[in-house]
Amino acid sequence: MNLRQNESLAARLTRMNLLVSGAVLLIAALAFFSYDLLSFQQILIRNIEAEAQIVGANSISAVMFNDQESATTTLRSLEQSPDVQGAVLTSSDGTVFARLGTLDQGDISAHVLGAHENDRAWPSGTQVVVAHRVMFQGKTVGIVTISARLREIGHRARQYLLIAFLILLFCMAAALAISSTSRRLIAEPIIGLADTALTVSREKDYSVRAEIPADGSEIGVLVDAFNTMLTQIQERDAALGEARAELEARVEERTAELRTANRELEAFSYTVAHDLRGPLDAITGIAFLLAQSWDSTDELKAHVMLNQLTTSTGNMSSLIDNLLNFARASTTPLKLAPVNLSSIARQIAAELAASDPTRKVEFMIKDTPETPADEGLMRIVLDNLLRNSWKYSSHHEHACIEFSAKRDANKLVYFVRDDGAGFDPGRMGQLFEPFHRLHGKSDFPGTGIGLATVQRIIARQGGAIWAEGAVEKGATFYFTLG
Amino acid sequence: MLAIPAVVLMMTAQVAREAHAQAPGPSLVDVQAVYLFDFAKFVRWPEADHGALTICVAGPKVYTDTLTRLVKGEQINSRPLAVRAVQTPEDEADCAIVFIENAAKDHTDGLLAATAGKPVLTVSDIPGFLDHGGMIQFLVIDKRVRFSVDLRPAVHSGIGLSSELLKVAVNVSGKDASGGGR
């Protein structure tokens, strides 16, 4: 297909070259030869006219003194001229005085000089009839009429035909040679462009480029524009590919998140079921024992059992509260308003201190600037953090719990610090996962859901939370908001 | 073949018109008159004379009349033409051409003697005129008027005769004298 196109375009150029040069040459040769033949004819006619004049001048006395022999002799001198076919010397009244060769009366009467004409030629093709008025002493003596065949014209025309034919041949050869140049200049860049376009459409390969011809012609512009178009298509393809890859990555990420969430939900359901079952078993057992030994048991024993019963239901209630908080942390709509975190912390500290007056805990709560946040959720956050500090410092005789804020990189960082049991920094990653507890249940009671809840709330408000700590060296929880 | 009238007809339009007017055709006199007139066109006189070119006729009056009619208003080499009859050699003083008709045959020698050595063209139709020292003699051959020329007296008198004229002459004698000829 390429080859055929190639040939067709090049052949068309060649044909055009041949046609144009041939036409130009033909017209030029025609014009030149016509002009030349015409002027050559004029020269030949003038020669004949000159002969007529000589013959006329030599015949003057012969006509005047009625000497036909002399006139005929004079006319016969025209026989030397190969073109002359016939000649007639006519007297001034139109009668033939002397004649030579073939020129009849019809020829003479068809070629008559006007009243004031002295010379005239009647050319027709290669034939010509020339008439000359012979004058002597201001009077017409007679008229010489010569009929001649301009053989030289025909000869020359044939020569010209041959020359024109040879030149035409030569020019055709030259045009063929030139067309190979024009093919290189015009056809080949276009063919290259066509090939590139074919490759692109067939193989969908947008990285190929057509070669730009160096002559800076419109073809170069065309090829350049085509290449630019290919580049743009390539760039668009790349952008499209990137977008798709990004989309896929995001889908994968979302899928992984969903999977994690699902796993968390499963674990959560399992833990909830398991953890709710503990206090319930205790309640059932104590209620059974109480019912069985209602009569035999003394009042004191029953009192203890009832206390245990109350503790179990309390545990269960607090577990359910925590679960509710955890759920609310994710679902409650945010109500942002300026909140004074220090005053909330003080209230919680007061509650904690009141819950166990036997403990010696020093609360250091500093004033912090108001910040836009959801007050209900922030109360859950501070309650969890302070209650954790309270809880994990319970094994120490003296404890100090601190709430404050500091500027770090133009951002307000709040923190809750205690000098309690601390945690193993190596297990930092599990700290905020729901139901993962770094301490045994027997050491410190808890549901394992508090920090997970806190992290969700902070994250929802656009903040971050992290912790520092070491075993028996206390723990510090930092968080930011917005 | 052309007849004599045709020769006359072709001379000039004017002559042709006159010839047509004269039925049945131009006479010998007419032809000879025309020839006399035409001879003047082929003769070169030695002196650049700008006066009238006079043709003198020794003969019947009809010649004089015919010639007078013929040359009326004509010029040759810017010279007006005149015609005059002569009777005696003494009359020939200003003649450029002297025509001696057969009728004046007896005066031939006298007339010729008077012009001998002078630039005067002598013409006659008298047989043997050239033997008497004349320059041009009319002949009639095949009913056509022709003429013979003797160059000797012409050369002697300093008159030049055109080769065109000699070309159509029946006979030209004394070519050696002119130093030219065919």
Side-chain angles (χ1 to χ4, degrees):
Chain A
M1 189 175 175
N2 280 355
L3 195 68
R4 197 182 60 77
Q5 269 188 343
N6 186 331
E7 277 179 354
S8 118
L9 195 57
R12 243 177 282 169
L13 278 172
T14 306
R15 200 159 51 238
M16 205 169 71
N17 272 344
L18 291 181
L19 211 68
V20 169
S21 55
V24 167
L25 191 73
L26 223 60
I27 291 167
L30 213 69
F32 174 76
F33 291 159
S34 302
Y35 174 76
D36 189 86
L37 284 177
L38 211 66
S39 41
F40 186 60
Q41 189 191 43
Q42 294 295 317
I43 291 167
L44 289 179
I45 287 173
R46 215 148 290 150
N47 286 346
I48 303 286
E49 281 175 347
E51 295 200 64
Q53 282 161 16
I54 293 166
V55 167
N58 287 337
S59 306
I60 291 170
S61 61
V63 174
M64 284 172 85
F65 299 106
N66 195 21
D67 188 349
Q68 284 182 306
E69 279 173 43
S70 171
T72 307
T73 307
T74 307
L75 276 188
R76 203 162 285 145
S77 70
L78 287 172
E79 284 177 338
Q80 301 301 314
S81 178
D83 283 345
V84 174
Q85 291 177 306
V88 162
L89 178 59
T90 317
S91 62
S92 60
D93 68 341
T95 51
V96 174
F97 186 70
R99 101 170 43 240
L100 174 78
T102 58
L103 192 67
D104 55 31
Q105 194 60 43
D107 280 336
I108 300 162
S109 55
H111 306 107
V112 179
L113 282 176
H116 299 290
E117 272 183 319
N118 287 339
D119 286 283
R120 186 161 171 191
W122 289 268
S124 87
T126 57
Q127 286 291 130
V128 68
V129 175
V130 168
H132 169 64
R133 188 184 297 277
V134 184
M135 303 286 286
F136 187 69
Q137 296 283 341
K139 295 200 172 66
T140 300
V141 174
I143 290 170
V144 176
T145 308
I146 297 178
S147 156
R149 189 155 54 94
L150 307 175
R151 289 180 309 172
E152 291 287 319
I153 291 270
H155 184 61
R156 190 174 274 221
R158 274 192 299 279
Q159 268 185 335
Y160 281 166
L161 267 180
L162 185 70
I163 291 168
F165 180 70
L166 287 176
I167 291 175
L168 206 64
L169 270 183
F170 176 76
C171 283
M172 291 292 150
L176 273 173
I178 290 165
S179 77
S180 76
T181 310
S182 61
R183 176 179 154 165
R184 188 166 51 75
L185 287 178
I186 298 166
E188 281 182 8
I190 292 177
I191 290 162
L193 188 63
D195 282 349
T196 310
L198 264 177
T199 310
V200 168
S201 67
R202 201 167 40 202
E203 295 168 18
K204 304 279 177 281
D205 179 4
Y206 296 103
S207 66
V208 294
R209 291 289 179 274
E211 193 184 331
I212 299 174
D215 56 3
S217 66
E218 288 89 338
I219 295 171
V221 175
L222 184 69
V223 173
D224 194 34
F226 182 73
N227 283 349
T228 308
M229 196 177 74
L230 285 180
T231 307
Q232 285 170 353
I233 290 174
Q234 247 188 322
E235 282 170 358
R236 206 162 298 170
D237 269 7
L240 220 61
E242 264 175 38
R244 199 182 315 142
E246 195 187 307
L247 216 61
E248 272 173 15
R250 207 174 296 162
V251 166
E252 250 169 53
E253 200 179 301
R254 288 277 186 283
T255 310
E257 276 176 17
L258 279 175
R259 204 168 286 145
T260 310
N262 212 28
R263 212 177 299 126
E264 275 180 11
L265 202 63
E266 271 174 26
F268 180 73
S269 307
Y270 175 80
T271 313
V272 166
H274 181 267
D275 284 10
L276 284 176
R277 202 180 173 86
L280 199 61
D281 283 348
I283 292 164
T284 312
I286 291 162
F288 176 76
L289 287 175
L290 199 60
Q292 269 212 332
S293 55
W294 183 253
D295 296 330
S296 59
T297 319
D298 57 36
E299 226 171 89
L300 185 68
K301 213 171 177 184
H303 190 72
V304 170
M305 280 186 185
L306 281 174
N307 272 347
Q308 286 175 336
L309 207 60
T310 308
T311 308
S312 281
T313 50
N315 283 346
M316 202 160 160
S317 172
S318 98
L319 181 60
I320 288 169
D321 280 347
N322 285 340
L323 282 172
L324 281 173
N325 279 343
F326 183 70
R328 209 180 296 149
S330 309
T331 56
T332 323
L334 284 176
K335 285 178 285 182
L336 296 181
V339 177
N340 190 336
L341 295 180
S342 299
S343 66
I344 295 172
R346 284 198 188 94
Q347 288 169 21
I348 294 165
E351 281 171 24
L352 289 171
S355 68
D356 190 352
T358 59
R359 283 193 57 188
K360 292 173 183 168
V361 176
E362 187 189 351
F363 281 102
M364 290 171 61
I365 294 172
K366 302 226 174 96
D367 284 324
T368 58
E370 287 195 346
T371 184
D374 188 308
E375 192 177 346
L377 292 176
M378 286 320 289
R379 191 173 286 277
I380 295 170
V381 168
L382 289 176
D383 185 73
N384 268 296
L385 293 177
L386 290 169
R387 199 172 290 278
N388 270 358
S389 294
W390 175 269
K391 185 164 67 185
Y392 290 106
S393 58
S394 59
H395 290 193
H396 294 205
E397 198 177 338
H398 285 278
C400 180
I401 297 174
E402 187 185 354
F403 172 75
S404 184
K406 61 172 182 180
R407 286 251 161 223
D408 187 21
N410 244 355
K411 215 159 175 150
L412 202 59
V413 180
Y414 299 93
F415 60 89
V416 174
R417 180 177 290 149
D418 65 71
D419 50 1
F423 59 90
D424 179 3
R427 295 172 67 191
M428 182 91 83
Q430 297 171 325
L431 205 57
F432 298 102
E433 281 186 25
F435 308 112
H436 274 95
R437 305 200 64 241
L438 302 190
H439 296 273
K441 211 167 194 169
S442 52
D443 294 339
F444 302 101
T447 56
I449 205 165
L451 283 177
T453 306
V454 165
Q455 195 201 26
R456 280 199 183 193
I457 290 168
I458 296 295
R460 274 195 75 195
Q461 292 178 99
I465 183 162
W466 66 98
E468 280 175 3
V471 178
E472 290 303 325
K473 291 274 174 63
T476 309
F477 285 86
Y478 302 91
F479 65 89
T480 60
L481 288 169
Chain B
M1 286 295 278
L2 285 175
I4 295 163
V7 180
V8 181
L9 280 173
M10 73 180 70
M11 292 300 128
T12 64
Q14 189 190 346
V15 174
R17 245 180 281 120
E18 287 165 9
H20 278 293
Q22 289 175 352
S27 62
L28 186 67
V29 177
D30 291 329
V31 176
Q32 287 181 342
V34 168
Y35 273 32
L36 279 171
F37 175 44
D38 284 346
F39 285 152
K41 299 170 184 171
F42 292 94
V43 173
R44 198 171 57 254
W45 279 272
E47 292 155 26
D49 192 345
H50 296 292
L53 195 154
T54 310
I55 302 173
C56 300
V57 178
K61 192 174 178 288
V62 61
Y63 279 95
T64 317
D65 294 345
T66 305
L67 265 171
T68 303
R69 206 168 53 239
L70 192 65
V71 304
K72 191 178 181 185
E74 295 284 343
Q75 285 192 339
I76 291 173
N77 295 329
S78 306
R79 294 176 71 182
L81 289 161
V83 178
R84 187 160 57 81
V86 291
Q87 305 296 329
T88 60
E90 290 75 35
D91 293 336
E92 298 175 330
D94 58 345
C95 289
I97 299 173
V98 172
F99 174 56
I100 306 165
E101 214 274 328
N102 204 25
K105 190 160 116 183
D106 300 340
H107 305 290
T108 306
D109 289 335
L111 289 167
L112 282 178
T115 59
K118 292 179 183 172
V120 178
L121 181 73
T122 54
V123 184
S124 175
D125 59 348
I126 304 164
F129 179 65
L130 298 185
D131 299 332
H132 286 85
M135 298 178 188
I136 296 176
Q137 180 186 346
F138 283 128
L139 305 165
V140 175
I141 300 167
D142 295 337
K143 297 181 183 173
R144 288 163 62 194
V145 177
R146 306 299 299 277
F147 59 90
S148 287
V149 176
D150 190 346
L151 286 173
R152 276 166 298 217
V155 170
H156 183 63
S157 61
I159 285 176
L161 296 182
S162 160
S163 66
E164 287 292 311
L165 184 66
L166 303 182
K167 192 171 74 180
V168 292
V170 174
N171 185 42
V172 178
S173 48
K175 281 179 215 163
D176 299 339
S178 72
R182 283 186 265 195

